[in-house]
Amino acid sequence: MAEAVVSIVVARLTDLLIEEPVALHGLKDEIQQVVTKLELMKTFLQDADSRISEYQVRTLVADIRALAYDAEHVVETFIVKASSSAWNRRNQAIKIKDIESKMSLLSDRIRENNIKSTSESSNSSSEAPGKLKRFHSFKTLEPEIFAETGAIGLLDEMFMNVIIIVGRDVVRA
């Protein structure tokens, strides 16, 4: 479950980096580091989830999930408040650096608990290091019924069914 949360936050932060480059100017590198560290942590979460019955691992997973939400909140707040004053911009920058230091502590806890990285997750995060990609897609899948027969074919089938049910020829409108 924490793996899904981290994936969603990584996707959101990546989208914000792409969509709001002007608003995030000056902290883009720090935010990208947060995204990279979250992706790395995600590779350990499958093993951690399988050991969720252990108290230390359970609290570690909860802390990672909470930190992911905090990172998303800080970046979104930064976008909203950054233009208001230099003090707000500096304050949000400090919060992002604080998140980075907490991530380092969580990485240490991952090693201490001997949590292993999964190859499936690590392969997906190492495809294009340093390159941003959108995680959401606007492609709408067409239902199979339309893909095979097309809308016209579907209407013809419905028309033929009406003819069979009524038992006589129906004039097409």
Side-chain angles (χ1 to χ4, degrees):
M1 172 145 156
E3 189 176 1
V5 169
V6 171
S7 293
I8 290 168
V9 170
V10 165
R12 177 69 178 138
L13 293 178
T14 301
D15 287 345
L16 288 172
L17 282 168
I18 293 169
E19 295 168 2
E20 303 285 346
V22 175
L24 296 173
H25 179 71
L27 284 178
K28 185 175 181 179
D29 292 339
E30 287 83 358
I31 296 168
Q32 180 60 48
Q33 285 179 353
V34 168
V35 169
T36 302
K37 287 180 181 179
L38 282 172
E39 286 178 331
L40 181 62
M41 285 183 180
K42 188 175 80 168
T43 66
F44 293 92
L45 286 173
Q46 190 172 11
D47 182 39
D49 282 342
S50 70
R51 296 172 43 195
I52 203 73
S53 61
E54 299 173 32
Y55 176 76
Q56 290 177 329
V57 174
R58 187 171 50 249
T59 58
L60 174 63
V61 169
D63 290 346
I64 291 171
R65 185 175 47 242
L67 191 63
Y69 282 134
D70 288 348
E72 181 181 30
H73 176 72
V74 167
V75 172
E76 288 177 343
T77 303
F78 180 81
I79 290 171
V80 171
K81 291 186 175 182
S83 60
S84 63
S85 73
W87 183 83
N88 280 332
R89 190 172 185 84
R90 193 171 29 251
N91 189 27
Q92 296 305 317
I94 291 168
K95 288 182 181 179
I96 290 172
K97 294 206 183 283
D98 184 47
I99 286 174
E100 286 181 14
S101 66
K102 287 179 182 177
M103 286 181 161
S104 295
L105 294 173
L106 287 175
S107 295
D108 292 343
R109 286 175 56 196
I110 287 171
R111 280 189 292 278
E112 289 169 7
N113 285 289
N114 199 28
I115 298 172
K116 307 278 189 255
S117 174
T118 58
S119 60
E120 179 182 306
S121 298
S122 62
N123 287 342
S124 66
S125 65
S126 64
E127 288 174 359
K131 186 175 181 182
L132 297 176
K133 65 177 183 175
R134 284 197 185 270
F135 282 84
H136 64 278
S137 171
F138 292 106
K139 182 179 177 185
T140 305
L141 297 176
E142 198 173 83
E144 286 185 31
I145 192 166
F146 292 119
E148 292 176 8
T149 61
I152 301 300
L154 180 64
L155 291 174
D156 285 341
E157 269 186 54
M158 288 175 28
F159 188 74
M160 293 303 292
N161 287 336
V162 168
I163 291 173
I164 292 170
I165 291 170
V166 173
R168 56 189 163 103
D169 284 344
V170 177
V171 180
R172 286 188 181 186

